[in-house]
Amino acid sequence: EIIELSCVLLDAHSLEVRGEFQAYVRPTEHPLLDPFCVELTGIEQAQVDTAAPLGEVLERLDGWLRGRGALPARPDCSLLPVTWTDWDLKV
């Protein structure tokens, strides 16, 4: 379950950082973080307890991307997806 959503917007040509987005997400399926999760992420229970649910955070991310001209996708706008580790890509 997603408990944090982070994004770095890079110019794919220069690799220059164009902006950063970060928000905690309130978990709904498993609202109590287990010790492994806290140890792995450093995210505390209080941080997710006061966070918005995923739908609201995704709306904020969408607005953030649109505000920076990253959405809707355009041929003249090259984006580069970036992740901290391959752990983030496991689905």
Side-chain angles (χ1 to χ4, degrees):
E1 186 166 15
I2 296 171
I3 59 170
E4 181 182 24
L5 191 58
S6 300
C7 178
V8 175
L9 187 61
L10 295 181
D11 180 306
H13 298 289
S14 68
L15 300 182
E16 185 177 332
V17 175
R18 298 294 183 173
E20 298 178 21
F21 176 92
Q22 185 276 336
Y24 295 112
V25 177
R26 184 173 60 236
T28 55
E29 296 297 315
H30 304 282
L32 296 179
L33 301 181
D34 64 42
F36 172 77
C37 181
V38 173
E39 173 82 20
L40 178 69
T41 65
I43 298 171
E44 299 290 335
Q45 186 68 48
Q47 292 171 292
V48 297
D49 284 347
T50 59
L54 181 60
E56 289 179 31
V57 174
L58 288 173
E59 287 179 16
R60 286 180 31 213
L61 176 61
D62 181 76
W64 181 82
L65 289 168
R66 288 179 187 280
R68 280 150 188 79
L71 288 178
R74 304 182 326 262
D76 65 328
C77 182
S78 297
L79 300 178
L80 183 63
V82 178
T83 180
W84 288 108
T85 66
D86 64 351
W87 178 273
D88 295 330
L89 300 176
K90 296 176 185 169
V91 178

